[in-house]
Amino acid sequence: MSEAVEVATFLAAVTPERRHEEASVLDSLFREVTGWAPRLWSGGMLGYGTYDYTYASGRSGTFFATGFAPRKARLSVYIMPGYADFSTILADLGKHKTGKSCLYINKLEDVDTEVLKRLVRAGLEDLASRWPVTAT
């Protein structure tokens, strides 16, 4: 199965209907901001772009540069390597919670999608200043 078919199949299966619609909107948003097609990662995450990392500990790997997961309870938006430097953008975003590299949104209508676009761009720029980012 091609990656495009795999992504389309995954998006088509997202439930409930509201979350399915939000996932479609987010996919369009991420494609617009990044210019890249998504890749389905384990755990039901859609990733846009990749980067290779090596930590001081010697641990290394490849992960997606930005992306999201349409969970039943809420949407998870991933900005690598985290949200520490984005407090001014987050202040304008709307209702959300943050984890280390996760932004949690209960309903997409709770946030300003134009601000979310700015946040995704800023996250990619920050990541690219640390690790080379490759298109998917």
Side-chain angles (χ1 to χ4, degrees), residues 65-135:
T66 189
F68 73 95
R71 309 283 186 220
K72 285 190 181 193
R74 57 190 173 188
L75 299 163
S76 298
V77 175
Y78 303 100
I79 303 290
M80 310 309 172
Y83 290 93
D85 299 329
F86 303 119
S87 58
T88 56
I89 298 173
L90 289 170
D92 295 333
L93 182 62
K95 188 176 176 183
H96 68 277
K97 293 183 180 178
T98 58
K100 182 175 166 90
S101 294
C102 295
L103 176 75
Y104 301 111
I105 301 168
N106 290 331
K107 296 179 292 193
L108 197 53
E109 66 189 34
D110 288 342
V111 299
D112 182 327
T113 55
E114 291 303 313
V115 174
L116 183 58
K117 288 177 187 179
R118 282 185 17 230
L119 182 62
V120 171
R121 280 188 204 102
L124 282 173
E125 289 170 7
D126 183 49
L127 179 64
S129 75
R130 301 164 194 250
W131 308 104
V133 175
T134 305

Side-chain angles (χ1 to χ4, degrees), residues 3 10 30 34 36-53 55 61-71 76-83 101-103 120 123-124 127-128 131-136:
E3 284 187 21
F10 170 77
F30 275 86
T34 67
W36 304 324
R39 181 177 143 202
L40 185 61
W41 291 72
S42 64
M45 298 178 287
L46 287 181
Y48 301 78
T50 62
Y51 71 104
D52 296 321
Y53 61 87
Y55 295 134
T62 300
F63 204 60
F64 59 83
T66 189
F68 73 95
R71 309 283 186 220
S76 298
V77 175
Y78 303 100
I79 303 290
M80 310 309 172
Y83 290 93
S101 294
C102 295
L103 176 75
V120 171
L124 282 173
L127 179 64
W131 308 104
V133 175
T134 305
T136 49

Side-chain angles (χ1 to χ4, degrees), residues 17-38:
E17 183 61 28
R18 182 187 90 211
R19 194 63 80 217
H20 169 75
E21 292 168 6
E22 291 172 328
S24 294
V25 169
L26 281 177
D27 179 44
S28 294
L29 183 148
F30 275 86
R31 287 174 188 260
E32 175 188 334
V33 170
T34 67
W36 304 324

